[in-house]
Amino acid sequence: MSPRRVVYVSCNPATAARDAAWLEQNGYHAEKVQPVDLFPRTRHCECVLSLSKV
């Protein structure tokens, strides 16, 4: 499909980093990364990444 922009939402920062590295190897560039705490007072933290085609 090769979209110009990808918004990636992950509940695991480690897999988000792994997948972002793969996307960067395949022509995307991370523009912005934003952690989101949807569950206060827990260890869980979601990540939202905005990637665009280089």
Side-chain angles (χ1 to χ4, degrees):
M1 291 174 54
S2 191
R4 284 186 285 172
R5 175 168 286 158
V6 174
V7 176
Y8 182 99
V9 180
S10 176
C11 61
N12 186 338
T15 58
R18 179 199 67 200
D19 295 342
W22 184 86
L23 285 164
E24 289 208 4
Q25 290 175 357
N26 288 282
Y28 288 89
H29 175 71
E31 292 179 336
K32 187 172 183 178
V33 178
Q34 180 68 48
V36 179
D37 187 8
L38 293 175
F39 306 103
R41 296 182 215 81
T42 68
R43 297 183 306 165
H44 300 285
C45 181
E46 282 65 40
C47 291
V48 181
L49 292 85
S50 173
L51 301 108
S52 64
K53 195 81 163 170
V54 178

